[in-house]
Amino acid sequence: MPSLDEAVAGVLEAVFADESRSAGLALEEVSVSTAGRRRVVRVVVDLAGEEAGEVDLEAVAVVSAAVSETLDSSDVLGAAPYTLEVTSPGVDRPLTAPRHWARARGRLVRVVLAGGGELLGRVESVDADGVLLRLEPQPVKGRPPRAKDVGVPRQVPFAELVRGEVQVEFRRAGASPDDEPGELDDEQGELDDEQGDAGREDEQ
């Protein structure tokens, strides 16, 4: 028997299969929790394609209305009142699906491998088979980073990837030494954090 999270996600599949209702967004995750007598339904959405970009708040509003209408017309949550939160993932969202990796092109990521161990590298390209990383030195506790493998390309098949984690960089990639320190590598980190917290709440 599916869990409540899975049952709600199943009901919402129709919303995200309809381009006119999904507003170009894809369903990432559904979680249902209880707060007193009320349920909290948290729906995480992201861009459906592989191109880098930000989730538009207008698109979130469109899909929120569609999700709310679908839940109201379904008995999946029973008669209990609920609060709906529709939000986009933050920069700390793990990379697990191929489109996550594709949208991370140019970003520095820490990769957890299925056989054990980790890699640190920049995502160069993504194809149907896996991810091409440009390796970066990994710091070793108590010693400076080893630079032996810096810049070496490595193709990692999807079957060997458990997840990736985007690393926050404090200087824009390719920035000159005159650039202000402490600046994120690009504006996406800040925007992701803002949008990750900017979910729309609907009291039902």
Side-chain angles (χ1 to χ4, degrees):
M1 184 174 180
S3 67
L4 185 56
D5 293 357
E6 293 169 334
V8 172
V11 167
L12 297 182
E13 284 180 359
V15 173
F16 293 92
D18 184 343
E19 292 184 6
S20 66
R21 303 176 75 198
S22 66
L25 302 181
L27 180 63
E28 285 285 300
E29 180 185 350
V30 172
S31 62
V32 183
S33 58
T34 302
R37 298 180 180 178
R38 182 178 294 275
R39 285 193 169 117
V40 178
V41 181
R42 186 170 187 267
V43 177
V44 182
V45 297
D46 199 2
L47 295 180
E50 295 185 349
E51 295 302 317
E54 306 301 327
V55 175
D56 186 271
L57 293 182
E58 291 185 8
V60 172
V62 169
V63 84
S64 293
V67 166
S68 179
E69 179 184 359
T70 301
L71 291 178
D72 288 346
S73 62
S74 166
D75 62 356
V76 68
L77 294 173
Y82 69 90
T83 297
L84 174 63
E85 298 177 358
V86 178
T87 185
S88 60
V91 70
D92 58 347
R93 183 267 310 275
L95 310 176
T96 54
R99 65 185 176 83
H100 297 164
W101 290 97
R103 293 187 58 205
R105 287 189 295 264
R107 304 300 296 272
L108 183 67
V109 299
R110 185 171 296 280
V111 181
V112 178
L113 301 173
E118 298 182 351
L119 296 173
L120 183 67
R122 199 169 297 278
V123 179
E124 291 281 302
S125 63
V126 179
D127 58 25
D129 298 319
V131 178
L132 178 64
L133 297 172
R134 183 74 56 179
L135 298 183
E136 297 275 345
Q138 297 196 56
V140 178
K141 188 174 181 180
R143 289 185 290 168
R146 296 178 59 186
K148 169 173 90 167
D149 294 328
V150 179
V152 174
R154 175 165 172 177
Q155 180 76 20
V156 185
F158 284 122
E160 295 182 15
L161 295 171
V162 175
R163 69 179 184 278
E165 300 165 355
V166 173
Q167 305 298 292
V168 175
E169 299 178 80
F170 290 94
R171 186 178 297 280
R172 190 181 300 272
S176 72
D178 296 331
D179 286 343
E180 190 140 337
E183 185 179 19
L184 288 175
D185 62 332
D186 54 34
E187 296 173 1
Q188 183 171 346
E190 295 176 358
L191 289 172
D192 282 347
D193 287 340
E194 288 175 9
Q195 292 185 339
D197 296 332
R200 175 176 177 266
E201 297 190 5
D202 292 331
E203 292 292 335
Q204 304 294 327

